[in-house]
Amino acid sequence: METAFSKLALHAVKDQLKENYTEEKEELLGQVEIWKYMTAFTDSVALKVAIELRVADIIDQHGQPLSLQKILDNIADAPCPDITFLFRIMRVLVRRKIFSTHQSEPSGETLYGLTRASKWILRDTKMTLAPMFLLENHPLHLNPAHYISDCIREGTKNGTAFFKCHGHEQFDLTGLDPEYNKLFNEGMVCTARIVSKAVIAGYEDGFNKINSLVDVGGGIGGSLSEIVRAYPHIKAINFDLPHVVATAPNYNGITHVGGDMFVSIPSADAIYMKWILHDWSDEHCIKILKNCRKAISEKTGKVIIVDHVLQPEGNNEIFDETGYAFDMMLLAHNAGGKERTEQDWKWLFAETGFLRYNIIKIKALPSIIEAFPI
């Protein structure tokens, strides 16, 4: 006959087993999480392979899902192709929903198709993220991350992680290495098209009242050309380092001007900066913004900043994780570059004489941040 004591003992044993099970499960899940982050880079490796081989473009050009062999037959410069390697790459990318699979009838052969994600890695289209992906996953951009711990120990007085890795800062290297400069510019142009489309759609009233606009750090003019195409009344200046604008194509309504934004900025109704300030420290940004303030009218001028507004932890907006990832990349690449919260932006504006600001969310990774002198 079960006594009260034995019942208590049985419950104690059950509770202990439950506690042990929970501890074991938690320990196992912790291990799984570390393995996950240890190997997370392999997703980028697989996607880079698909972009380099133009797998998405091959499928798109045929207008229908294709077999592995058909994809392989259409890969350029493949004298001795290996279908087993391609299968393993595609297997990963199907799991990540970059590509889809279908069974052909009646053979049952697996065919690979496009998804909403793979349409953004088409290299033969205007709206693509492929060049930016190849830039961010190039060894020149990946290797500096291995020096971040050194920067934490030593600071950055002797250079950023990028400098410790390559012996030059990022923007200096673009002037020294033509191939890197080309890779960098192609990445900037593709994101300019995507972001500019969202900016133009989300800032119609803002551009309508501007007669002159300077794009500071505008690269080879890709972003500005989209704005001027949509608003041809704007007289525009694409302003960047001399070696950058030297390779810029001619655009109607745009004048290319070489210079240094830390020295002075051409005057206009408004200053436009897309993904510029996040590359620089607060001290650098203060210099840039003060020069912007000098370049615009005290009463009617404004600065239009297209940059990320880092959200507090706990928010669930669709680009939040990407914002934190960009902050990590900036940690490796730039002298004090970082993504900023709204409070960070507010402080910068107060330090540089901009008494009012406004944040406009658009359908893209960054937001539009307007800053006004009065």
Side-chain angles (χ1 to χ4, degrees):
M1 186 174 181
E2 193 175 39
T3 64
F5 178 80
S6 63
K7 285 182 179 179
L8 288 172
L10 182 61
H11 284 303
V13 170
K14 286 182 178 179
D15 289 343
Q16 186 177 7
L17 289 172
K18 184 178 180 181
E19 183 179 336
N20 289 339
Y21 172 75
T22 302
E23 288 178 0
E24 288 178 3
K25 184 178 180 181
E26 283 297 299
E27 185 177 344
L28 183 60
L29 290 175
Q31 183 186 154
V32 167
E33 288 167 359
I34 298 303
W35 281 109
K36 173 185 173 182
Y37 294 119
M38 185 193 306
T39 58
F41 73 96
T42 60
D43 288 344
S44 291
V45 169
L47 187 50
K48 184 180 183 222
V49 170
I51 293 173
E52 290 175 333
L53 297 178
R54 295 180 180 265
V55 172
D57 290 285
I58 291 169
I59 297 170
D60 184 61
Q61 287 161 8
H62 284 77
Q64 61 184 10
L66 299 177
S67 67
L68 278 180
Q69 187 60 55
K70 189 70 173 178
I71 294 170
L72 207 62
D73 291 343
N74 284 272
I75 293 174
D77 301 319
C80 189
D82 191 316
I83 197 168
T84 61
F85 271 44
L86 180 60
F87 166 73
R88 288 158 68 182
I89 291 295
M90 295 300 286
R91 179 170 60 183
V92 169
L93 296 177
V94 168
R95 286 180 66 87
R96 300 296 178 257
K97 295 181 170 50
I98 305 298
F99 293 99
S100 60
T101 54
H102 312 267
Q103 301 303 314
S104 67
E105 297 293 342
S107 66
E109 184 179 27
T110 299
L111 306 179
Y112 295 85
L114 301 180
T115 66
R116 65 186 183 187
S118 49
K119 291 175 182 177
W120 284 96
I121 59 167
L122 294 170
R123 297 183 67 180
D124 297 328
T125 61
K126 186 176 181 181
M127 302 301 284
T128 176
L129 283 168
M132 187 64 168
F133 190 96
L134 294 176
L135 170 65
E136 295 299 352
N137 285 272
H138 191 281
L140 283 171
H141 267 212
L142 290 176
N143 290 344
H146 298 293
Y147 294 80
I148 293 175
S149 55
D150 291 338
C151 291
I152 292 173
R153 294 188 190 99
E154 306 164 4
T156 56
K157 289 183 179 180
N158 295 324
T160 62
F162 196 95
F163 182 88
K164 291 177 188 296
C165 181
H166 298 303
H168 300 282
E169 295 294 2
Q170 183 184 35
F171 296 119
D172 294 332
L173 191 62
T174 59
L176 298 170
D177 186 335
E179 285 301 313
Y180 176 58
N181 188 50
K182 180 174 181 290
L183 185 72
F184 187 88
N185 285 336
E186 287 175 350
M188 296 302 104
V189 167
C190 87
T191 56
R193 288 173 182 151
I194 293 167
V195 174
S196 294
K197 181 180 179 181
V199 168
I200 290 166
Y203 197 60
E204 182 178 358
D205 292 340
F207 287 124
N208 275 332
K209 299 174 183 178
I210 295 172
N211 292 315
S212 59
L213 181 69
V214 175
D215 186 354
V216 174
I220 59 175
S223 181
L224 192 58
S225 68
E226 299 293 327
I227 294 171
V228 172
R229 186 178 292 112
Y231 300 92
H233 71 278
I234 294 177
K235 182 180 178 182
I237 293 175
N238 179 52
F239 182 69
D240 212 313
L241 295 169
H243 75 266
V244 176
V245 297
T247 63
N250 292 323
Y251 295 106
N252 289 332
I254 296 177
T255 301
H256 297 293
V257 175
D260 186 342
M261 62 187 174
F262 294 108
V263 177
S264 65
I265 291 171
S267 297
D269 293 339
I271 305 297
Y272 181 81
M273 291 186 285
K274 180 185 75 69
W275 273 336
I276 300 301
L277 297 183
H278 79 165
D279 285 331
W280 299 98
S281 68
D282 290 341
E283 292 75 18
H284 286 98
C285 288
I286 287 171
K287 290 180 182 179
I288 297 168
L289 286 169
K290 283 183 175 179
N291 284 337
C292 287
R293 199 175 186 286
K294 292 176 184 176
I296 60 175
S297 166
E298 179 78 19
K299 293 183 178 180
T300 60
K302 63 180 172 179
V303 177
I304 307 162
I305 300 163
V306 180
D307 233 319
H308 194 71
V309 180
L310 204 61
Q311 298 299 312
E313 189 175 349
N315 279 32
N316 292 308
E317 295 186 13
I318 59 174
F319 286 114
D320 282 357
E321 290 300 319
T322 309
Y324 282 97
F326 259 71
D327 189 60
M328 282 296 298
M329 290 189 287
L330 291 166
L331 195 64
H333 295 165
N334 302 92
K338 60 183 178 181
E339 300 296 355
R340 292 178 168 87
T341 65
E342 181 174 350
Q343 289 303 310
D344 294 329
W345 288 112
K346 185 177 181 180
W347 179 84
L348 276 180
F349 297 145
E351 290 291 308
T352 51
F354 290 93
L355 304 181
R356 185 165 54 93
Y357 73 93
N358 184 37
I359 296 175
I360 304 169
K361 291 184 179 181
I362 57 176
K363 294 179 181 180
L365 172 60
S367 296
I368 297 172
I369 311 164
E370 299 175 302
F372 304 92
I374 59 174

